[in-house]
Amino acid sequence: MTTPSPRDAGLSCVYDLAIPVGAVEMAANALSAYGIRHGTSPDTIGGSRDVLAVHVVPPGGAVPPDDELKSSLAGLSARYPGVRFELALVVSRQGVPTRVWSRVAPGIARVETDFHVKETMPGGGLFGHDPRNLAAVFAGIRTRKGPSGAGGEDIQGLLGKSVSGGWHRKGNLHLWGGVRLLRFKVRKDAVREAPLHSSETPLKALRFGRTVWMLVRQRGALEVAQMSGKSQSNAFEHVKWALQRVFHPVALFFWALAVRRRKFSHFLLLGYNCEIAFRFLMANGFLDSSLFAWAGCWGPDIMVDALGRLGDISTGSLAFAGATDIFIDVDTGVMMHSRLKVDPASPTGTADAEAAKAELRSRVAHLREKFLRQLRDDEPTLAVVKISPSERLVGDEFARAIVDRLKEMGGRNFRLLVVCQKADAAFFPKEHPDYELRTVAAYNPDWRAATELSGDRLGWMKIWREFAPAQKIVQHKTYKFQKGRRAAG
């Protein structure tokens, strides 16, 4: 499948700013995910020359008629004279394969895609979209300045900070069970009551000047507004991590007495994102490079399809996918890190991007051959896939499809390990002879880079102790994320 680009639809593709309209929160999150500068401030819009309005229609929503879209464009032009506006209409057509751009009116481009909202991305994000289709909307669009959120703040700050009524949320630390310790910084003129999330029940609070410590009981998964952008550098998070490093080996020792250890020569890590590779590396001290180890495949259909089209990955069109060092293969929807960071706005951005693409194509070609060689030899091989909570209803079907696909590709002596969150294990059948099923208490949040400070560290270590490498590799390689003490995936 060849996906048309935004330029094919008549868009100029380079703007000073993008305006999220329609389903505003969904549009804003999608623009942020693709690194596109956006905002709604009249001053910001009025100070721009070229502006793209991105109108997202949510799944099941009504598609505005063309006359209404034309009127919207005309109204923007009248309100901001001297600013040139274009409009991209993004429409969800779940289950209907009508993925075609069409120019419907001057200045308006339309794409029909099958994106949906995943439960793992709170706040109405578009983390459930099929990148093969939505890439046509966003991956080819650039803004002349870096991404920003509403009011001009950096998007990471918006995702990680909750400020309400003068209460600034600075920390959210898991203690045990559903009990968490929150830390707030409070302004002198702040409201008296802490603006707690609806899923938080207060248990006890202590105040020291402008700092408030509060024990709460958390119901369900955390949302973005409950996280702190600084939590990964929070001293208490590091104390907790240090204690884990002391007690986890003891817990693992006694746990391992009752578990049969199984050893494998090859590990084929199939995503859906980088956390599996990160956890393997942290637990074992090395990682044998694999094709999908640091790749993102957002959806079971994308992984199954990519395995069946291994030779197509990275051979066609590559586009930026939300960061300056991540490219998406438009045909297959597989996202991979490049070894080079590229600034598309720099004078050498195009040349640098082509160099990064060339390096990525060469590396993928090598890893493709290695993947098939390891899958097909007689050495015991473990393929590992992580099931997203939003895919739990089809988790068993997906696992069996992966096994069938690997067999079709010549797999001989392999076993599939499926990892899900404990809460999702009930959606799998009690008997699953085609694959192994293991659980962790919680994943690292999808919207944050993986670190040892979040997610179920002990749960992952148990997995890699039970399904262990037959031989350790002495590895002196330093990954990019290790320099900054974080994983990129």
Side-chain angles (χ1 to χ4, degrees), residues 108-135:
I108 301 175
R110 183 195 301 270
V111 65
E112 294 183 350
T113 181
D114 59 358
F115 71 78
H116 61 283
V117 180
K118 278 193 174 182
E119 297 171 3
T120 50
M121 182 59 187
L126 293 182
F127 263 61
H129 70 256
D130 183 340
R132 291 169 293 186
N133 307 322
L134 206 57

Side-chain angles (χ1 to χ4, degrees), residues 205-241:
L206 293 174
R207 181 163 183 164
F208 302 95
R210 294 175 56 192
T211 300
V212 175
W213 297 93
M214 183 177 295
L215 286 175
V216 300
R217 188 174 301 281
Q218 171 69 30
R219 301 182 306 278
L222 293 181
E223 294 191 7
V224 175
Q226 297 174 263
M227 304 299 292
S228 167
K230 299 298 184 182
S231 62
Q232 294 182 18
S233 60
N234 187 292
F236 285 90
E237 291 281 358
H238 284 273
V239 170
K240 175 187 172 184
W241 181 56

Side-chain angles (χ1 to χ4, degrees), residues 53-298:
V54 178
H55 188 124
V56 171
V57 179
V63 180
D66 291 346
D67 288 344
E68 182 179 324
L69 296 175
K70 293 178 188 176
S71 175
S72 176
L73 270 180
L76 287 170
S77 298
R79 185 178 179 185
Y80 300 100
V83 181
R84 187 178 67 85
F85 289 93
E86 291 182 350
L87 186 145
L89 178 67
V90 187
V91 183
S92 172
R93 288 284 185 260
Q94 291 185 342
V96 181
T98 54
R99 305 157 179 170
V100 180
W101 278 88
S102 60
R103 186 75 177 271
V104 294
I108 301 175
R110 183 195 301 270
V111 65
E112 294 183 350
T113 181
D114 59 358
F115 71 78
H116 61 283
V117 180
K118 278 193 174 182
E119 297 171 3
T120 50
M121 182 59 187
L126 293 182
F127 263 61
H129 70 256
D130 183 340
R132 291 169 293 186
N133 307 322
L134 206 57
V137 190
F138 298 113
I141 293 173
R142 293 286 169 268
T143 45
R144 295 187 176 97
K145 297 180 181 179
S148 66
E153 282 196 81
D154 179 79
I155 185 61
Q156 294 301 323
L158 290 176
L159 288 178
K161 184 170 61 177
S162 175
V163 180
S164 179
W167 290 68
H168 298 248
R169 188 180 293 248
K170 294 295 185 179
N172 189 324
L173 177 65
H174 179 251
L175 297 180
W176 64 86
V179 178
R180 307 187 74 90
L181 176 64
L182 309 185
R183 182 170 67 92
F184 295 92
K185 204 72 172 180
V186 185
R187 284 204 318 254
K188 292 181 179 179
D189 58 345
V191 297
R192 295 181 63 85
E193 298 295 327
L196 295 179
H197 191 267
S198 59
S199 64
E200 296 168 342
T201 302
L203 301 176
K204 182 71 174 177
L206 293 174
R207 181 163 183 164
F208 302 95
R210 294 175 56 192
T211 300
V212 175
W213 297 93
M214 183 177 295
L215 286 175
V216 300
R217 188 174 301 281
Q218 171 69 30
R219 301 182 306 278
L222 293 181
E223 294 191 7
V224 175
Q226 297 174 263
M227 304 299 292
S228 167
K230 299 298 184 182
S231 62
Q232 294 182 18
S233 60
N234 187 292
F236 285 90
E237 291 281 358
H238 284 273
V239 170
K240 175 187 172 184
W241 181 56
L243 292 174
Q244 288 178 345
R245 293 193 59 144
V246 173
F247 291 108
H248 281 176
V250 178
L252 283 170
F253 173 79
F254 288 102
W255 169 84
L257 295 177
V259 175
R260 181 172 67 93
R261 200 173 197 194
R262 303 159 67 176
K263 295 189 176 183
F264 296 87
S265 298
H266 308 310
F267 290 81
L268 305 179
L269 311 180
L270 303 178
Y272 59 92
N273 62 5
C274 306
E275 185 178 10
I276 292 179
F278 174 75
R279 297 294 181 181
F280 185 97
L281 177 62
M282 293 297 101
N284 294 297
F286 74 94
L287 179 70
D288 187 20
S289 297
S290 181
L291 179 59
F292 296 101
W294 300 108
C297 295
W298 293 95

Side-chain angles (χ1 to χ4, degrees), residues 236-454:
F236 285 90
E237 291 281 358
H238 284 273
V239 170
K240 175 187 172 184
W241 181 56
L243 292 174
Q244 288 178 345
R245 293 193 59 144
V246 173
F247 291 108
H248 281 176
V250 178
L252 283 170
F253 173 79
F254 288 102
W255 169 84
L257 295 177
V259 175
R260 181 172 67 93
R261 200 173 197 194
R262 303 159 67 176
K263 295 189 176 183
F264 296 87
S265 298
H266 308 310
F267 290 81
L268 305 179
L269 311 180
L270 303 178
Y272 59 92
N273 62 5
C274 306
E275 185 178 10
I276 292 179
F278 174 75
R279 297 294 181 181
F280 185 97
L281 177 62
M282 293 297 101
N284 294 297
F286 74 94
L287 179 70
D288 187 20
S289 297
S290 181
L291 179 59
F292 296 101
W294 300 108
C297 295
W298 293 95
D301 57 328
I302 293 180
M303 173 52 71
V304 174
D305 179 62
L307 288 172
R309 302 171 55 197
L310 217 60
D312 295 336
I313 299 176
S314 83
T315 60
S317 176
L318 294 174
F320 284 110
T324 56
D325 62 344
I326 300 178
F327 286 96
I328 181 172
D329 179 67
V330 175
D331 286 341
T332 63
V334 177
M335 292 181 282
M336 293 187 171
H337 292 271
S338 67
R339 287 180 175 163
L340 304 173
K341 282 199 172 186
V342 180
D343 180 5
S346 72
T348 59
T350 301
D352 292 344
E354 292 306 313
K357 290 179 184 179
E359 184 279 326
L360 181 58
R361 294 184 203 277
S362 175
R363 178 157 42 92
V364 168
H366 164 71
L367 292 176
R368 183 188 299 119
E369 294 180 5
K370 181 178 180 180
F371 184 94
L372 290 172
R373 183 175 67 253
Q374 292 183 338
L375 177 64
R376 293 169 178 172
D377 70 17
D378 292 323
E379 295 295 323
T381 298
L382 186 70
V384 190
V385 67
K386 171 182 155 185
I387 302 295
S388 164
S390 63
E391 312 293 352
R392 59 192 177 189
L393 296 179
V394 296
D396 175 66
E397 179 184 351
F398 174 36
R400 288 184 282 108
I402 290 286
V403 171
D404 291 342
R405 182 70 82 190
L406 293 176
K407 288 180 179 178
E408 292 172 3
M409 297 169 65
R412 295 160 53 156
N413 187 16
F414 75 91
R415 188 67 174 161
L416 177 66
L417 170 63
V418 175
V419 180
C420 72
Q421 294 187 139
K422 287 182 179 178
D424 299 331
F427 293 90
F428 288 81
K430 291 183 178 180
E431 301 294 333
H432 37 79
D434 295 328
Y435 58 89
E436 307 284 346
L437 179 66
R438 298 295 184 272
T439 64
V440 293
Y443 294 151
N444 186 91
D446 286 343
W447 63 90
R448 290 175 57 183
T451 73
E452 291 271 68
L453 302 180
S454 56

